[in-house]
Amino acid sequence: MAGGSNSKATEDGASEGEPAAGAGGEAALTTNPGFDPESVAMTSSFWFSEDVTDDMVTKFRLNNIMYNGKSQFQRIQVIDCAPFGKTLVLDGKSQSAAGDEFVYHEALVHPAMLLHGNPKRVFIGGGGEGATAREMLRHRSVEKCIMVDLDKMVVDVSKDKLPEWGAGCWDDDRLEVYYQDAHAWLRDYKGPPFDVICMDIADPIEAGPGYVLYTEEFYRYATTQLAEGGIIVTQSGPGSLNTHEECFTVIHRTLASAFKHAVPYTVDVPSFGCTWAFTLAFNACAGAADAAAVVEMSVAATDAAIAARIGGGGSSGSSALRFYDGAAHLGMFGTPKWLRRALDAERRVMTVDNPVFMI
């Protein structure tokens, strides 16, 4: 689950916890400056709009608002939009859409999992839709997958409205789910260390407590919860030419302050309105000696690892995945020159006392 662009939203007359009116209505989800999020905007058609930056907005035609409600933490909506189908929206920010969620979740999970020689115990911070667990549990080596998400209502709504995201993972005996702050859970955890830690959490925003999960203090603590050869990967916010400095470069620099090797990569997620960024980090791992080895991993080596280790849904190897393979790996990690320069030039490190928030 990633934050999409910067936005707020409102909807047409839907009761809390109830489906809203369909596309025959005259309402719009809107993000106009100064807009009252509890009011109703009347337009000539039914749209969802979301700010990418202060100067750029994406706008999708809506077919239906399937769910609208509030948990104690956030507003939860499931919309059906013409370009991407069903989409989970939290506090007005797109989290994942049926049309391209497989791109985001495969990119988040599989590079780190395949770099580890034999991941048996894995941890997910966030991931309420179930798709991150779905992808991690494709790896036959996994014996235990622990997922910690703050908001049980997101999980419940996803099970009901977005069952294809989880694709049966909720019934997998290897999965344990806890409804708690991931930072607090890991602080209290006394069990065996993890081979892979995967942070599928909301972007660092000023109004949310989750920014702690992007700090140097958290990443240094994460090293103590990783087994030898362990890897951490986190979604890292928008990574486009006009958005990469919001948090991506800082997250990468912060991980680099806590681990010997921090490797950035990006992928196009159209429903987010921009390229999306990720960072994986490790001190040592079986699949690569350093960051350069990750970037330059051959097509044949990646495809062989997928064929040997991935299954699920009645298929295995490359047929189990829709996006990620050896050729995609080279594209994801082959970041452009302007981005490499920006990452090298970044000096900010996010700490608890000196956070960096998305605009």
Side-chain angles (χ1 to χ4, degrees):
M1 173 188 315
S5 311
N6 311 320
S7 67
K8 293 182 180 178
T10 187
E11 64 293 318
D12 178 31
S15 300
E16 299 298 339
E18 296 293 334
E26 291 293 314
L29 300 181
T30 184
T31 60
N32 293 334
F35 189 82
D36 177 0
E38 299 302 324
S39 69
V40 175
M42 305 305 292
T43 67
S44 58
S45 55
F46 200 59
W47 294 88
F48 171 70
S49 61
E50 187 172 5
D51 295 346
V52 177
T53 70
D54 289 342
D55 304 310
M56 180 177 172
V57 175
T58 59
K59 191 173 183 180
F60 307 144
R61 188 180 298 278
L62 278 174
N63 297 322
N64 190 22
I65 302 175
M66 300 172 61
Y67 180 86
N68 167 51
K70 284 183 179 178
S71 72
Q72 68 181 102
F73 304 106
Q74 58 201 331
R75 177 177 290 277
I76 303 168
Q77 296 166 307
V78 178
I79 65 174
D80 180 6
C81 66
F84 304 110
K86 292 193 292 186
T87 303
L88 177 66
V89 180
L90 300 180
D91 282 340
K93 295 163 69 73
S94 300
Q95 303 298 311
S96 60
D100 57 14
E101 64 82 10
F102 68 96
V103 177
Y104 170 88
H105 289 105
E106 290 184 20
L108 172 68
V109 169
H110 296 302
M113 291 290 284
L114 291 171
L115 280 170
H116 192 282
N118 187 32
K120 294 183 178 181
R121 295 184 59 83
V122 297
F123 175 88
I124 301 169
E129 311 101 311
T132 301
R134 175 194 75 204
E135 296 303 323
M136 296 192 92
L137 290 168
R138 291 191 194 279
H139 290 256
R140 300 185 185 95
S141 62
V142 171
E143 298 173 356
K144 180 64 64 178
C145 176
I146 293 178
M147 171 182 149
V148 181
D149 194 287
L150 182 64
D151 198 340
K152 183 177 186 297
M153 190 169 170
V154 170
V155 175
D156 291 341
V157 170
S158 297
K159 287 180 180 179
D160 181 42
K161 302 297 183 184
L162 309 170
E164 57 269 55
W165 267 248
C169 76
W170 307 115
D171 299 320
D172 194 312
D173 291 339
R174 295 174 294 169
L175 179 65
E176 292 182 9
V177 181
Y178 299 89
Y179 301 107
Q180 189 179 340
D181 172 71
H183 181 260
W185 191 93
L186 279 172
R187 283 286 180 185
D188 294 338
Y189 177 68
K190 305 300 181 185
F194 297 100
D195 298 311
V196 175
I197 291 176
C198 180
M199 302 305 294
D200 184 17
I201 53 177
D203 298 320
I205 58 174
E206 192 165 4
Y211 82 88
V212 174
L213 296 168
Y214 292 101
T215 62
E216 182 180 32
E217 291 92 338
F218 173 74
Y219 292 144
R220 290 194 181 281
Y221 181 73
T223 65
T224 70
Q225 294 288 13
L226 283 168
E228 184 177 356
I231 301 168
I232 186 171
V233 61
T234 183
Q235 80 88 11
S236 302
S240 294
L241 184 62
N242 60 336
T243 60
H244 62 283
E245 291 182 329
E246 288 189 22
C247 62
F248 176 29
T249 56
V250 180
I251 292 169
H252 171 263
R253 176 57 58 188
T254 305
L255 274 164
S257 73
F259 290 85
K260 291 180 180 178
H261 309 289
V263 194
Y265 59 106
T266 62
V267 69
D268 182 32
V269 184
S271 64
F272 288 171
C274 65
T275 302
W276 211 252
F278 307 84
T279 311
L280 63 81
F282 57 91
N283 289 322
C285 74
D290 54 23
V294 177
V295 174
E296 298 166 2
M297 186 171 296
S298 73
V299 171
T302 302
D303 287 346
I306 292 171
R309 294 169 51 183
I310 290 180
S315 56
S316 61
S318 60
S319 61
L321 304 181
R322 298 172 61 191
F323 167 73
Y324 182 69
D325 64 3
H329 179 97
L330 291 179
M332 291 159 52
F333 286 88
T335 53
K337 182 183 289 186
W338 59 261
L339 180 55
R340 297 196 304 272
R341 286 177 171 173
L343 290 162
D344 289 343
E346 181 63 74
R347 291 295 176 263
R348 293 172 295 172
V349 171
M350 192 182 307
T351 66
V352 172
D353 293 331
N354 293 287
V356 175
F357 298 117
M358 280 187 64
I359 299 170

